[in-house]
Amino acid sequence: DEDTQLTNSKSFLYKERKYWPIRIHQDEVIACSNPAFGDLRIIHTSDIEGELAVVVCDYYTSRIIHQMHCSTSSIQNVQISPNGSIIAYAYKQEASIDSWIVYDVNNKNQVLFEDQDVQSVTGLSALPFQSLHFHPTNHNLIMTLSADGTTIKIWQIENNLIRSTTNQIVLKHSIRSCHFTGHGSKILLWYCKSKNDRGNEKQNEDWVNQCQIEIWDTKNCQRLKWFQVPCWIDKDGNQIKASSQLGQGQSLKAVQFGGQSDTVMFLSYEKILGFINLQHQFDINIKQDFEKHFQPIQSDTAGSAFQITISDDQQLIKISTNVCKVSNIYNNINWNFVNN
């Protein structure tokens, strides 16, 4: 239900610094289509007669449109196309990376991957990806993040096949997260440049507390903007600053952009949620300027945040945490700038 609110909220109010956390207990995985493209459909997991199933239902009538029992005991993620006609779900195999299956709900058949990079294999039923996202306005485009986290690829759905296109982003760093932004015209991705893992304190002198956030053009896969923020921050009383010691403080978990032309960057550091106004600041110096530009909204969220969702008008922000699958929705927050 909160996803519907986030999609359709129409009011616009930024006058007082207020928030009302709303706890919502939900299915382990859930997603919804875009009502701008037809009837609103919800995809979620359910226990039906002791078996795990993926269920698609009509939001307004609660009518079950499709349900399919899964041979796996755990579904890690679900996605649905903007018009609700195609769904995707990820299940865990023996390896640590999820395998994704795509299914056409209207035609009742699985849509198979056809990857030119995999020699002598056509019609793959599932491929391992760290993440999979439908384009928010083009029902036939899919974006995936490779199992090793270095490659973002755009796929085209054609005649019950998912074919890889020439559009891809390849980096030497492991991408932590990526998703569409700007109504699908851009891709937001971020990765950490830390040379060492959290537990490797012996190499503290080589540690780089730096996260790179980039915005790419979806059509041409060209980098448009990039920003640098700390991977780790410390909170000392009311002061928030970049960590100076390896693995000390709270690590960056989620990044999202808001505002017209992506002028607001929202950052979630485990239990600290805040934002940076980018209207007049496009080169953030992580050592000197982060403390000055980062404006906290909340510094004691329940659990560690892993996802930020913002309504189209920025009236609502949803923070998903790892505690009992709880989401906090913050309403009527003053961003301390005029949104032109």
Side-chain angles (χ1 to χ4, degrees):
D1 189 26
E2 79 272 18
D3 286 314
T4 307
Q5 291 177 300
L6 291 170
T7 303
N8 295 317
S9 57
K10 300 297 182 183
S11 56
F12 190 89
L13 178 61
Y14 301 109
K15 292 185 178 180
E16 299 180 30
R17 191 177 184 86
K18 295 181 178 179
Y19 64 87
W20 291 272
I22 305 172
R23 288 194 163 191
I24 298 176
H25 294 268
Q26 57 188 24
D27 287 294
E28 182 150 334
V29 287
I30 188 170
C32 69
S33 64
N34 190 334
F37 297 98
D39 294 337
L40 179 59
R41 292 180 173 183
I42 306 292
I43 178 173
H44 63 96
T45 57
S46 181
D47 190 320
I48 299 177
E49 297 180 353
E51 293 186 5
L52 182 64
V54 174
V55 179
V56 180
C57 64
D58 184 280
Y59 170 74
Y60 298 104
T61 65
S62 298
R63 179 178 64 89
I64 294 179
I65 298 170
H66 181 77
Q67 69 180 34
M68 52 192 303
H69 292 274
C70 305
S71 57
T72 180
S73 59
S74 177
I75 299 296
Q76 305 298 314
N77 201 343
V78 293
Q79 297 290 336
I80 187 167
S81 64
N83 64 357
S85 63
I86 302 175
I87 63 172
Y89 67 90
Y91 63 92
K92 187 73 71 177
Q93 289 185 316
E94 294 181 1
S96 58
I97 300 300
D98 299 339
S99 290
W100 285 84
I101 286 181
V102 181
Y103 193 87
D104 189 322
V105 173
N106 293 342
N107 295 322
K108 310 297 182 186
N109 62 266
Q110 186 175 341
V111 187
L112 303 179
F113 286 97
E114 186 178 69
D115 192 352
Q116 298 175 355
D117 295 333
V118 180
Q119 297 181 357
S120 304
V121 177
T122 303
L124 298 172
S125 60
L127 283 180
F129 302 117
Q130 284 198 23
S131 65
L132 180 150
H133 299 279
F134 285 98
H135 190 280
T137 59
N138 188 330
H139 321 302
N140 296 318
L141 284 185
I142 291 176
M143 176 176 66
T144 60
L145 177 59
S146 62
D148 64 1
T150 62
T151 304
I152 294 173
K153 184 177 291 188
I154 304 297
W155 305 73
Q156 178 82 33
I157 302 177
E158 297 177 348
N159 301 323
N160 294 325
L161 284 177
I162 307 170
R163 295 187 170 98
S164 59
T165 69
T166 56
N167 291 358
Q168 62 180 12
I169 300 170
V170 181
L171 301 178
K172 64 179 182 179
H173 298 280
S174 180
I175 299 168
R176 296 289 186 90
S177 177
C178 65
H179 58 265
F180 288 109
T181 186
H183 302 288
S185 63
K186 290 170 280 188
I187 297 171
L188 185 156
L189 64 89
W190 63 276
Y191 55 88
C192 289
K193 288 188 173 182
S194 300
K195 294 182 180 179
N196 302 295
D197 295 330
R198 178 175 182 176
N200 193 2
E201 298 181 0
K202 294 182 179 180
Q203 302 295 327
N204 188 64
E205 64 274 9
D206 296 327
W207 183 56
V208 178
N209 186 14
Q210 182 175 308
C211 171
Q212 182 131 324
I213 301 168
E214 301 181 354
I215 296 180
W216 290 65
D217 174 73
T218 301
K219 183 177 180 181
N220 300 316
C221 284
Q222 295 180 344
R223 192 174 70 173
L224 304 176
K225 302 177 185 178
W226 62 274
F227 313 93
Q228 290 181 350
V229 298
C231 291
W232 292 81
I233 61 173
D234 263 336
K235 185 173 185 289
D236 184 8
N238 294 326
Q239 186 179 28
I240 295 176
K241 59 184 179 180
S243 299
S244 58
Q245 298 295 321
L246 173 65
Q248 177 179 317
Q250 301 188 37
S251 63
L252 183 63
K253 294 297 183 182
V255 179
Q256 183 61 276
F257 276 78
Q260 296 184 13
S261 302
D262 296 325
T263 53
V264 187
M265 181 165 61
F266 296 92
L267 305 170
S268 182
Y269 287 89
E270 297 186 18
K271 296 185 177 183
I272 298 176
L273 168 68
F275 69 94
I276 295 175
N277 180 7
L278 298 171
Q279 282 186 311
H280 307 294
Q281 181 71 28
F282 293 95
D283 184 16
I284 304 298
N285 185 304
I286 63 173
K287 292 183 178 179
Q288 300 176 7
D289 297 333
F290 181 80
E291 180 181 341
K292 178 173 65 176
H293 291 286
F294 182 74
Q295 301 184 49
I297 298 171
Q298 177 74 349
S299 59
D300 58 352
T301 58
S304 178
F306 63 86
Q307 186 180 54
I308 303 174
T309 307
I310 304 174
S311 61
D312 292 339
D313 61 6
Q314 298 172 78
Q315 176 75 13
L316 301 175
I317 300 179
K318 185 187 76 169
I319 308 299
S320 301
T321 72
N322 63 351
V323 177
C324 300
K325 306 303 177 182
V326 168
S327 295
N328 290 336
I329 296 181
Y330 298 90
N331 191 11
N332 297 350
I333 302 176
N334 172 29
W335 306 132
N336 293 334
F337 71 94
V338 178
N339 196 0
N340 296 319

